[in-house]
Amino acid sequence: MLVLFETAAGYAIFKILDEKKLQEVDSLWKEFETPEKANKIVKLKHFEKFQDTTEALAASTALVEGKISKNLKKILKKIVSKDAHEQLAVADAKLGGVIKDKLNLSCIHSPMVTELMRGIRSQLEGLITGLPSREMAAMCLGLAHSLSRYKLKFSPDKVDTMIVQAISLLDDLDKELNNYIMRCREWYGWHFPELGKIVTDNLTYCKCVKRIGDRKNFSSSDLSEVLPEEIEEDVKAAAEISMGTEVSEEDISNIQHLCDQVIEISDYRAQLYDYLKNRMMAIAPNLTVMVGELVGARLIAHAGSLLNLAKHPASTVQILGAEKALFRALKTKRDTPKFGLIYHASLVGQTTAKNKGKISRMLAAKTALTIRYDALGESTSAEMGAENRLKVETRLRHLEEKGIRRISGTGKALARADKYQHKSEVKTYDPSGESTLPLVPKKRKIKAEDNEEEEEEVEVPVKAKKSKIVEIKVEEEEQEEEESVKKKKKKKEKKHKVQEEAVWAEEEEEEEEPSTSVVVESSEKKKKKKKKIKVEPED
């Protein structure tokens, strides 16, 4: 069996002397403890040294991609073809498949081969003669630097550092533009204050000031290239009756120089935005489709790189940029924020305030998928981002339309609502609530007889009974009140007039006699009424 071993200095081909010891994979490392033991198992058959670092870089890049370099193909044809009947042990299974297809050599890759490669690497200085350790270390360091530079140069479009710097510069330019425009409006406002209210666009304002200068020149100048006709007439009319102060030519020249700076910065900002837009479509096309160029670039800049952003879960992407509010909420035990930088995405802006939290959560979940696809995938198409955006828009439409869904099959019949029928209820007025008299028990129902005359005779005594019952109740209430008043008087008199108790007792007895007689009469009247009620229906 032959072994193909790649080093930073060149290709080495070893021949295995004792294949029986390779069967014991767990104890194979013991055979490579010393160079003497290693020479008993493997022996160097051929070593092809690289001429320079460029050749080593070409060979290493071919191995990384799973391809065969020209130098390796020549070595395999010369050396291994002589022993074509023997197997070739390789460290990479992909490389072994390519060698088998192109050179028709049987290759092997197994855990035993991996342990064998580890043992050869540990005793490489003793197995390869004529190669000093210093030279080997220098070759390894040079190849590592060259390979790193090659990987950076190989895909310059995937360098997201340019996006981080571009979005930071764009934010700085916006701040400077706002400061310059505010200063320009305030400065020229002393001379022509009415112009700031008529011309609201900042860039157009600076162009007007640069072109005219003194307000006296407005009437004789043509501003058709800068302003519409209606606004131009308003500006000329306001310039004639302006309340501003007079300024010198030197002041006007300084203001015009400031306007030049504003116009130049605005042009450069537009150019930088186009550059950022193109760079975002090259590096993260799916992320750009989901949330836009500016929001996507700010997410990448906040995370540091596209790869770091891909490591974040969807919940972190949702609140990225609102860390201060998050930790304040955790500290005070209040509700955590629902969105951070993703709030400025167009899909979140389209929703109502009630559904912003739901849409931002779903958008963050889909955005996390697109970020990982852009960072780790090989495809450069934006189809995945378009599909996910369509799903979020469908969800948004569903929330806005209050859950209208399609119903198929027999569900349509169940979903149909019945016609609305108004059922009015007629309520009659109950006058019993207005009565202040105590409630009277209901009359007993009397069977209606055929003759109307008898019914009338029955109704008359019933009314009389009602009046009598009311009179009896009134008399009883008066008696109870008199007795309570007398009891109070007795208590007072006992305290102050103990000697006159006998006299008051005789008077009380005289007063109680008529009252008792009244009670007796009332009880007799009640008995007579009951008898009359029983007798009347019989008639």
Side-chain angles (χ1 to χ4, degrees):
M1 182 185 290
L2 300 177
V3 180
L4 175 63
F5 189 80
E6 305 93 358
T7 66
Y11 293 110
I13 295 176
F14 293 94
K15 184 174 179 59
I16 297 175
L17 301 176
D18 190 358
E19 294 184 7
K20 293 181 180 179
K21 293 183 178 180
L22 298 179
Q23 302 300 326
E24 300 175 0
V25 179
D26 295 335
S27 61
L28 187 60
W29 61 274
K30 295 180 181 179
E31 304 297 330
F32 289 91
E33 289 180 347
T34 59
E36 292 78 11
K37 289 183 178 180
N39 286 319
K40 293 179 181 179
I41 296 176
V42 293
K43 181 181 180 182
L44 182 64
K45 187 174 184 180
H46 180 75
F47 181 74
E48 185 72 21
K49 189 178 179 181
F50 297 130
Q51 295 179 359
D52 52 7
T53 310
T54 307
E55 188 179 352
L57 178 62
S60 59
T61 51
L63 289 173
V64 169
E65 295 173 1
K67 299 178 182 178
I68 304 176
S69 62
K70 294 181 179 180
N71 194 13
L72 180 59
K73 191 180 289 188
K74 291 179 182 179
I75 296 169
L76 292 175
K77 284 182 179 180
K78 288 182 180 179
I79 309 301
V80 183
S81 297
K82 296 178 181 178
D83 301 325
H85 61 280
E86 294 187 4
Q87 290 181 333
L88 180 66
V90 293
D92 188 9
K94 189 176 181 181
L95 179 64
V98 176
I99 293 172
K100 186 176 181 180
D101 294 338
K102 292 189 176 181
L103 300 177
N104 199 17
L105 296 174
S106 60
C107 299
I108 184 174
H109 175 75
S110 63
M112 177 267 294
V113 175
T114 306
E115 288 293 329
L116 181 63
M117 295 288 183
R118 188 179 289 115
I120 293 172
R121 191 178 295 109
S122 63
Q123 301 294 337
L124 189 62
E125 294 180 2
L127 294 173
I128 300 176
T129 57
L131 188 65
S133 59
R134 288 184 178 180
E135 187 177 351
M136 187 68 180
M139 291 287 286
C140 290
L141 185 61
L143 181 60
H145 286 296
S146 301
L147 189 60
S148 300
R149 289 194 199 97
Y150 173 77
K151 285 185 176 180
L152 289 174
K153 292 178 183 178
F154 181 73
S155 182
D157 291 338
K158 287 292 181 183
V159 180
D160 47 14
T161 309
M162 303 302 170
I163 289 178
V164 176
Q165 299 298 329
I167 191 64
S168 301
L169 179 58
L170 197 68
D171 292 338
D172 293 340
L173 287 177
D174 288 336
K175 291 179 183 177
E176 292 299 324
L177 269 175
N178 288 331
N179 292 332
Y180 282 11
I181 289 166
M182 287 172 61
R183 182 64 57 199
C184 183
R185 280 180 175 270
E186 187 177 355
W187 199 353
Y188 193 72
W190 287 98
H191 179 58
F192 190 11
E194 292 81 7
L195 182 63
K197 296 180 180 179
I198 299 171
V199 181
T200 56
D201 185 57
N202 295 324
L203 189 60
T204 308
Y205 182 89
C206 293
K207 288 180 179 179
C208 290
V209 174
K210 179 190 174 184
R211 187 161 187 152
I212 302 302
D214 197 341
R215 69 167 184 264
K216 296 177 182 178
N217 300 330
F218 272 96
S219 58
S220 60
S221 60
D222 184 19
L223 296 173
S224 59
E225 297 180 0
V226 181
L227 297 173
E229 293 182 2
E230 297 177 357
I231 299 177
E232 184 181 359
E233 292 175 0
D234 295 340
V235 170
K236 289 181 179 180
E240 295 177 358
I241 58 171
S242 178
M243 299 293 291
T245 60
E246 297 292 335
V247 293
S248 63
E249 293 182 0
E250 186 178 359
D251 297 332
I252 293 293
S253 64
N254 284 319
I255 295 172
Q256 288 177 338
H257 183 65
L258 179 59
C259 291
D260 290 336
Q261 295 293 325
V262 171
I263 294 168
E264 289 177 5
I265 293 173
S266 298
D267 294 338
Y268 176 62
R269 191 212 178 270
Q271 180 184 352
L272 184 65
Y273 177 73
D274 293 336
Y275 163 76
L276 179 64
K277 186 176 180 180
N278 296 331
R279 183 64 69 181
M280 279 295 295
M281 285 303 296
I283 294 177
N286 295 286
L287 175 62
T288 306
V289 171
M290 283 296 296
V291 296
E293 302 87 12
L294 293 177
V295 178
R298 286 193 174 95
L299 288 172
I300 293 172
H302 199 82
S305 66
L306 184 63
L307 191 61
N308 290 343
L309 185 61
K311 296 176 183 178
H312 291 315
S315 58
T316 305
V317 174
Q318 182 180 351
I319 60 169
L320 206 64
E323 291 85 0
K324 193 174 181 180
L326 174 65
F327 291 116
R328 190 194 306 120
L330 293 174
K331 187 177 180 181
T332 57
K333 295 182 180 180
R334 294 182 181 178
D335 294 337
T336 54
K338 294 181 180 178
F339 27 64
L341 292 171
I342 206 169
Y343 178 80
H344 301 285
S346 60
L347 287 172
V348 179
Q350 293 173 10
T351 59
T352 57
K354 183 181 179 182
N355 297 324
K356 282 188 187 294
K358 294 179 181 178
I359 292 299
S360 63
R361 182 169 63 250
M362 185 177 183
L363 182 62
K366 299 299 181 183
T367 303
L369 292 176
T370 57
I371 291 166
R372 291 164 191 167
Y373 187 79
D374 289 332
L376 306 174
E378 297 179 356
S379 177
T380 57
S381 64
E383 293 178 359
M384 181 186 179
E387 291 176 2
N388 288 330
R389 185 181 177 88
L390 185 61
K391 291 179 182 178
V392 178
E393 288 176 351
T394 307
R395 173 66 173 165
L396 171 62
R397 200 178 306 111
H398 170 72
L399 290 173
E400 294 296 331
E401 292 175 0
K402 296 181 180 179
I404 297 175
R405 296 182 180 178
R406 292 182 179 179
I407 300 173
S408 61
T410 57
K412 289 183 179 179
L414 298 173
R416 289 175 185 169
D418 296 334
K419 290 183 178 180
Y420 175 73
Q421 293 180 355
H422 179 67
K423 297 178 181 178
S424 61
E425 297 180 0
V426 180
K427 294 183 179 180
T428 58
Y429 177 70
D430 186 12
S432 62
E434 295 181 355
S435 177
T436 58
L437 297 174
L439 296 174
V440 181
K442 294 182 179 180
K443 297 181 289 183
R444 295 180 182 178
K445 292 183 179 180
I446 302 170
K447 294 182 180 180
E449 297 180 356
D450 299 334
N451 299 327
E452 294 179 357
E453 295 177 356
E454 292 180 0
E455 290 179 0
E456 292 177 356
E457 291 176 359
V458 172
E459 290 175 1
V460 172
V462 170
K463 292 179 180 177
K465 293 173 191 174
K466 284 185 180 179
S467 61
K468 290 179 181 179
I469 292 168
V470 173
E471 289 177 0
I472 294 167
K473 287 189 175 181
V474 171
E475 289 176 359
E476 290 177 355
E477 289 176 359
E478 290 178 356
Q479 290 175 5
E480 290 175 359
E481 289 177 1
E482 288 177 1
E483 289 176 358
S484 63
V485 170
K486 289 175 183 178
K487 288 179 181 179
K488 291 180 181 178
K489 287 181 180 180
K490 286 180 182 179
K491 290 180 181 179
K492 292 180 181 179
E493 289 170 356
K494 285 179 181 180
K495 291 180 181 178
H496 300 287
K497 299 178 182 180
V498 179
Q499 298 176 358
E500 298 177 0
E501 287 180 358
V503 177
W504 286 105
E506 292 175 358
E507 292 177 358
E508 286 176 3
E509 290 175 359
E510 292 175 359
E511 290 175 359
E512 287 177 357
E513 287 176 359
S515 63
T516 52
S517 62
V518 173
V519 174
V520 172
E521 289 176 0
S522 62
S523 61
E524 290 176 357
K525 288 179 182 179
K526 287 181 183 179
K527 291 178 181 178
K528 290 179 181 180
K529 288 175 186 177
K530 290 180 181 179
K531 290 179 180 180
K532 287 181 181 180
I533 292 168
K534 291 179 181 179
V535 173
E536 284 170 0
E538 291 176 358
D539 296 335

mmCIF file of all heavy atoms in Angstrom, residues 20-48:
data_model
loop_
_atom_site.group_PDB
_atom_site.id
_atom_site.type_symbol
_atom_site.label_atom_id
_atom_site.label_comp_id
_atom_site.label_asym_id
_atom_site.label_seq_id
_atom_site.Cartn_x
_atom_site.Cartn_y
_atom_site.Cartn_z
ATOM 1 N N LYS A 20 0.089 -5.356 8.615
ATOM 2 C CA LYS A 20 -0.648 -6.036 9.673
ATOM 3 C C LYS A 20 -0.859 -5.122 10.885
ATOM 4 O O LYS A 20 -1.903 -5.188 11.552
ATOM 5 C CB LYS A 20 0.097 -7.300 10.101
ATOM 6 C CG LYS A 20 0.130 -8.370 9.028
ATOM 7 C CD LYS A 20 0.867 -9.604 9.532
ATOM 8 C CE LYS A 20 0.914 -10.681 8.450
ATOM 9 N NZ LYS A 20 1.651 -11.887 8.920
ATOM 10 N N LYS A 21 0.123 -4.272 11.163
ATOM 11 C CA LYS A 21 0.008 -3.392 12.327
ATOM 12 C C LYS A 21 -1.041 -2.293 12.122
ATOM 13 O O LYS A 21 -1.497 -1.686 13.085
ATOM 14 C CB LYS A 21 1.363 -2.753 12.634
ATOM 15 C CG LYS A 21 2.388 -3.769 13.116
ATOM 16 C CD LYS A 21 3.694 -3.093 13.478
ATOM 17 C CE LYS A 21 4.697 -4.109 13.993
ATOM 18 N NZ LYS A 21 5.995 -3.489 14.357
ATOM 19 N N LEU A 22 -1.389 -2.044 10.867
ATOM 20 C CA LEU A 22 -2.396 -1.009 10.589
ATOM 21 C C LEU A 22 -3.807 -1.470 10.968
ATOM 22 O O LEU A 22 -4.720 -0.649 11.072
ATOM 23 C CB LEU A 22 -2.373 -0.641 9.105
ATOM 24 C CG LEU A 22 -1.055 -0.034 8.575
ATOM 25 C CD1 LEU A 22 -1.180 0.259 7.094
ATOM 26 C CD2 LEU A 22 -0.701 1.237 9.339
ATOM 27 N N GLN A 23 -3.980 -2.768 11.165
ATOM 28 C CA GLN A 23 -5.311 -3.266 11.495
ATOM 29 C C GLN A 23 -5.741 -2.826 12.895
ATOM 30 O O GLN A 23 -6.931 -2.646 13.163
ATOM 31 C CB GLN A 23 -5.316 -4.810 11.407
ATOM 32 C CG GLN A 23 -4.911 -5.353 10.047
ATOM 33 C CD GLN A 23 -5.830 -4.889 8.930
ATOM 34 O OE1 GLN A 23 -7.026 -4.712 9.124
ATOM 35 N NE2 GLN A 23 -5.251 -4.703 7.748
ATOM 36 N N GLU A 24 -4.784 -2.646 13.768
ATOM 37 C CA GLU A 24 -5.078 -2.184 15.130
ATOM 38 C C GLU A 24 -5.080 -0.658 15.147
ATOM 39 O O GLU A 24 -4.050 -0.017 15.377
ATOM 40 C CB GLU A 24 -4.052 -2.746 16.117
ATOM 41 C CG GLU A 24 -4.036 -4.268 16.154
ATOM 42 C CD GLU A 24 -2.935 -4.793 17.056
ATOM 43 O OE1 GLU A 24 -2.211 -3.942 17.635
ATOM 44 O OE2 GLU A 24 -2.814 -6.022 17.174
ATOM 45 N N VAL A 25 -6.243 -0.061 14.901
ATOM 46 C CA VAL A 25 -6.321 1.392 14.753
ATOM 47 C C VAL A 25 -6.108 2.092 16.086
ATOM 48 O O VAL A 25 -5.437 3.128 16.161
ATOM 49 C CB VAL A 25 -7.692 1.783 14.150
ATOM 50 C CG1 VAL A 25 -7.810 3.299 13.997
ATOM 51 C CG2 VAL A 25 -7.895 1.095 12.812
ATOM 52 N N ASP A 26 -6.650 1.517 17.174
ATOM 53 C CA ASP A 26 -6.569 2.194 18.473
ATOM 54 C C ASP A 26 -5.142 2.255 19.006
ATOM 55 O O ASP A 26 -4.778 3.211 19.701
ATOM 56 C CB ASP A 26 -7.450 1.453 19.488
ATOM 57 C CG ASP A 26 -8.925 1.534 19.105
ATOM 58 O OD1 ASP A 26 -9.290 2.503 18.395
ATOM 59 O OD2 ASP A 26 -9.705 0.646 19.495
ATOM 60 N N SER A 27 -4.329 1.276 18.683
ATOM 61 C CA SER A 27 -2.940 1.252 19.194
ATOM 62 C C SER A 27 -1.925 1.652 18.121
ATOM 63 O O SER A 27 -0.729 1.430 18.301
ATOM 64 C CB SER A 27 -2.620 -0.152 19.723
ATOM 65 O OG SER A 27 -2.729 -1.107 18.676
ATOM 66 N N LEU A 28 -2.376 2.250 17.029
ATOM 67 C CA LEU A 28 -1.439 2.599 15.955
ATOM 68 C C LEU A 28 -0.534 3.754 16.345
ATOM 69 O O LEU A 28 0.617 3.834 15.876
ATOM 70 C CB LEU A 28 -2.236 2.960 14.692
ATOM 71 C CG LEU A 28 -1.434 3.202 13.410
ATOM 72 C CD1 LEU A 28 -0.644 1.948 13.029
ATOM 73 C CD2 LEU A 28 -2.354 3.615 12.270
ATOM 74 N N TRP A 29 -1.000 4.599 17.224
ATOM 75 C CA TRP A 29 -0.172 5.754 17.619
ATOM 76 C C TRP A 29 1.085 5.329 18.374
ATOM 77 O O TRP A 29 2.097 6.054 18.379
ATOM 78 C CB TRP A 29 -0.997 6.697 18.500
ATOM 79 C CG TRP A 29 -1.486 6.060 19.779
ATOM 80 C CD1 TRP A 29 -2.607 5.339 19.957
ATOM 81 C CD2 TRP A 29 -0.814 6.080 21.041
ATOM 82 N NE1 TRP A 29 -2.723 4.885 21.244
ATOM 83 C CE2 TRP A 29 -1.632 5.346 21.942
ATOM 84 C CE3 TRP A 29 0.376 6.639 21.519
ATOM 85 C CZ2 TRP A 29 -1.283 5.167 23.271
ATOM 86 C CZ3 TRP A 29 0.722 6.462 22.836
ATOM 87 C CH2 TRP A 29 -0.106 5.733 23.715
ATOM 88 N N LYS A 30 1.053 4.142 18.974
ATOM 89 C CA LYS A 30 2.241 3.671 19.698
ATOM 90 C C LYS A 30 3.394 3.375 18.753
ATOM 91 O O LYS A 30 4.566 3.446 19.158
ATOM 92 C CB LYS A 30 1.896 2.411 20.503
ATOM 93 C CG LYS A 30 0.875 2.679 21.604
ATOM 94 C CD LYS A 30 0.569 1.388 22.358
ATOM 95 C CE LYS A 30 -0.468 1.623 23.455
ATOM 96 N NZ LYS A 30 -0.798 0.366 24.177
ATOM 97 N N GLU A 31 3.071 3.017 17.501
ATOM 98 C CA GLU A 31 4.117 2.684 16.525
ATOM 99 C C GLU A 31 4.825 3.931 15.998
ATOM 100 O O GLU A 31 5.848 3.805 15.324
ATOM 101 C CB GLU A 31 3.512 1.912 15.349
ATOM 102 C CG GLU A 31 2.764 0.662 15.742
ATOM 103 C CD GLU A 31 3.672 -0.364 16.401
ATOM 104 O OE1 GLU A 31 4.890 -0.390 16.061
ATOM 105 O OE2 GLU A 31 3.185 -1.139 17.252
ATOM 106 N N PHE A 32 4.285 5.124 16.299
ATOM 107 C CA PHE A 32 4.922 6.369 15.830
ATOM 108 C C PHE A 32 5.408 7.229 16.991
ATOM 109 O O PHE A 32 5.551 8.446 16.853
ATOM 110 C CB PHE A 32 3.907 7.180 14.999
ATOM 111 C CG PHE A 32 3.600 6.580 13.663
ATOM 112 C CD1 PHE A 32 2.544 5.688 13.512
ATOM 113 C CD2 PHE A 32 4.376 6.907 12.554
ATOM 114 C CE1 PHE A 32 2.269 5.134 12.283
ATOM 115 C CE2 PHE A 32 4.091 6.342 11.315
ATOM 116 C CZ PHE A 32 3.039 5.456 11.177
ATOM 117 N N GLU A 33 5.718 6.593 18.120
ATOM 118 C CA GLU A 33 6.229 7.344 19.264
ATOM 119 C C GLU A 33 7.640 7.864 19.011
ATOM 120 O O GLU A 33 7.993 8.960 19.463
ATOM 121 C CB GLU A 33 6.206 6.465 20.516
ATOM 122 C CG GLU A 33 4.794 6.205 21.021
ATOM 123 C CD GLU A 33 4.802 5.327 22.264
ATOM 124 O OE1 GLU A 33 5.870 4.731 22.555
ATOM 125 O OE2 GLU A 33 3.760 5.232 22.937
ATOM 126 N N THR A 34 8.452 7.124 18.270
ATOM 127 C CA THR A 34 9.835 7.524 17.973
ATOM 128 C C THR A 34 10.075 7.395 16.473
ATOM 129 O O THR A 34 9.384 6.628 15.779
ATOM 130 C CB THR A 34 10.833 6.623 18.728
ATOM 131 O OG1 THR A 34 10.622 5.268 18.340
ATOM 132 C CG2 THR A 34 10.642 6.771 20.241
ATOM 133 N N PRO A 35 11.046 8.143 15.938
ATOM 134 C CA PRO A 35 11.371 8.014 14.511
ATOM 135 C C PRO A 35 11.800 6.608 14.124
ATOM 136 O O PRO A 35 11.534 6.163 12.991
ATOM 137 C CB PRO A 35 12.515 9.015 14.305
ATOM 138 C CG PRO A 35 12.362 10.009 15.410
ATOM 139 C CD PRO A 35 11.827 9.239 16.564
ATOM 140 N N GLU A 36 12.476 5.879 15.024
ATOM 141 C CA GLU A 36 12.916 4.522 14.704
ATOM 142 C C GLU A 36 11.731 3.590 14.497
ATOM 143 O O GLU A 36 11.702 2.777 13.543
ATOM 144 C CB GLU A 36 13.810 3.966 15.829
ATOM 145 C CG GLU A 36 15.163 4.654 15.959
ATOM 146 C CD GLU A 36 15.082 6.006 16.658
ATOM 147 O OE1 GLU A 36 13.985 6.306 17.229
ATOM 148 O OE2 GLU A 36 16.060 6.763 16.620
ATOM 149 N N LYS A 37 10.711 3.689 15.375
ATOM 150 C CA LYS A 37 9.524 2.852 15.205
ATOM 151 C C LYS A 37 8.761 3.231 13.930
ATOM 152 O O LYS A 37 8.218 2.363 13.246
ATOM 153 C CB LYS A 37 8.610 3.008 16.415
ATOM 154 C CG LYS A 37 9.131 2.380 17.695
ATOM 155 C CD LYS A 37 8.096 2.526 18.805
ATOM 156 C CE LYS A 37 8.577 1.856 20.090
ATOM 157 N NZ LYS A 37 7.574 1.987 21.175
ATOM 158 N N ALA A 38 8.728 4.543 13.622
ATOM 159 C CA ALA A 38 8.003 4.993 12.431
ATOM 160 C C ALA A 38 8.659 4.477 11.163
ATOM 161 O O ALA A 38 7.975 4.103 10.191
ATOM 162 C CB ALA A 38 7.935 6.521 12.416
ATOM 163 N N ASN A 39 10.016 4.419 11.118
ATOM 164 C CA ASN A 39 10.716 3.915 9.931
ATOM 165 C C ASN A 39 10.493 2.420 9.721
ATOM 166 O O ASN A 39 10.715 1.913 8.595
ATOM 167 C CB ASN A 39 12.218 4.202 10.054
ATOM 168 C CG ASN A 39 12.526 5.681 9.820
ATOM 169 O OD1 ASN A 39 11.950 6.297 8.917
ATOM 170 N ND2 ASN A 39 13.429 6.239 10.627
ATOM 171 N N LYS A 40 10.096 1.687 10.757
ATOM 172 C CA LYS A 40 9.816 0.265 10.600
ATOM 173 C C LYS A 40 8.460 0.018 9.936
ATOM 174 O O LYS A 40 8.222 -1.061 9.402
ATOM 175 C CB LYS A 40 9.848 -0.425 11.962
ATOM 176 C CG LYS A 40 11.237 -0.452 12.584
ATOM 177 C CD LYS A 40 11.197 -1.136 13.947
ATOM 178 C CE LYS A 40 12.589 -1.138 14.591
ATOM 179 N NZ LYS A 40 12.567 -1.775 15.928
ATOM 180 N N ILE A 41 7.573 1.034 9.978
ATOM 181 C CA ILE A 41 6.219 0.855 9.412
ATOM 182 C C ILE A 41 6.128 1.467 8.018
ATOM 183 O O ILE A 41 5.604 0.845 7.084
ATOM 184 C CB ILE A 41 5.166 1.475 10.349
ATOM 185 C CG1 ILE A 41 5.161 0.726 11.687
ATOM 186 C CG2 ILE A 41 3.769 1.415 9.719
ATOM 187 C CD1 ILE A 41 4.244 1.302 12.717
ATOM 188 N N VAL A 42 6.630 2.718 7.866
ATOM 189 C CA VAL A 42 6.549 3.391 6.566
ATOM 190 C C VAL A 42 7.957 3.784 6.123
ATOM 191 O O VAL A 42 8.857 3.995 6.940
ATOM 192 C CB VAL A 42 5.642 4.641 6.643
ATOM 193 C CG1 VAL A 42 4.207 4.254 6.888
ATOM 194 C CG2 VAL A 42 6.131 5.618 7.704
ATOM 195 N N LYS A 43 8.111 3.896 4.791
ATOM 196 C CA LYS A 43 9.391 4.276 4.218
ATOM 197 C C LYS A 43 9.129 5.260 3.072
ATOM 198 O O LYS A 43 8.196 5.074 2.281
ATOM 199 C CB LYS A 43 10.107 3.031 3.687
ATOM 200 C CG LYS A 43 11.477 3.332 3.082
ATOM 201 C CD LYS A 43 12.109 2.057 2.553
ATOM 202 C CE LYS A 43 13.470 2.370 1.941
ATOM 203 N NZ LYS A 43 14.073 1.131 1.365
ATOM 204 N N LEU A 44 9.938 6.321 3.015
ATOM 205 C CA LEU A 44 9.771 7.338 1.980
ATOM 206 C C LEU A 44 10.190 6.770 0.626
ATOM 207 O O LEU A 44 11.317 6.305 0.462
ATOM 208 C CB LEU A 44 10.612 8.574 2.326
ATOM 209 C CG LEU A 44 10.512 9.744 1.348
ATOM 210 C CD1 LEU A 44 9.095 10.318 1.323
ATOM 211 C CD2 LEU A 44 11.524 10.828 1.701
ATOM 212 N N LYS A 45 9.268 6.841 -0.356
ATOM 213 C CA LYS A 45 9.568 6.345 -1.686
ATOM 214 C C LYS A 45 9.951 7.469 -2.632
ATOM 215 O O LYS A 45 10.881 7.315 -3.441
ATOM 216 C CB LYS A 45 8.358 5.590 -2.239
ATOM 217 C CG LYS A 45 8.623 4.878 -3.552
ATOM 218 C CD LYS A 45 7.439 4.032 -3.967
ATOM 219 C CE LYS A 45 7.787 3.266 -5.248
ATOM 220 N NZ LYS A 45 6.676 2.418 -5.700
ATOM 221 N N HIS A 46 9.257 8.608 -2.532
ATOM 222 C CA HIS A 46 9.576 9.738 -3.407
ATOM 223 C C HIS A 46 9.083 11.025 -2.730
ATOM 224 O O HIS A 46 8.022 11.053 -2.100
ATOM 225 C CB HIS A 46 8.901 9.579 -4.776
ATOM 226 C CG HIS A 46 9.205 10.706 -5.712
ATOM 227 N ND1 HIS A 46 10.430 10.819 -6.341
ATOM 228 C CD2 HIS A 46 8.461 11.773 -6.132
ATOM 229 C CE1 HIS A 46 10.411 11.898 -7.104
ATOM 230 N NE2 HIS A 46 9.222 12.505 -6.992
ATOM 231 N N PHE A 47 9.889 12.093 -2.893
ATOM 232 C CA PHE A 47 9.496 13.410 -2.375
ATOM 233 C C PHE A 47 9.722 14.441 -3.477
ATOM 234 O O PHE A 47 10.844 14.600 -3.980
ATOM 235 C CB PHE A 47 10.328 13.772 -1.139
ATOM 236 C CG PHE A 47 9.959 15.120 -0.546
ATOM 237 C CD1 PHE A 47 8.768 15.274 0.167
ATOM 238 C CD2 PHE A 47 10.798 16.217 -0.711
ATOM 239 C CE1 PHE A 47 8.447 16.509 0.705
ATOM 240 C CE2 PHE A 47 10.460 17.448 -0.171
ATOM 241 C CZ PHE A 47 9.278 17.606 0.543
ATOM 242 N N GLU A 48 8.634 15.130 -3.877
ATOM 243 C CA GLU A 48 8.687 16.157 -4.921
ATOM 244 C C GLU A 48 8.547 17.514 -4.237
ATOM 245 O O GLU A 48 7.481 17.891 -3.747
ATOM 246 C CB GLU A 48 7.549 15.952 -5.925
ATOM 247 C CG GLU A 48 7.588 16.882 -7.111
ATOM 248 C CD GLU A 48 8.719 16.545 -8.077
ATOM 249 O OE1 GLU A 48 9.220 15.396 -8.054
ATOM 250 O OE2 GLU A 48 9.092 17.423 -8.865
#
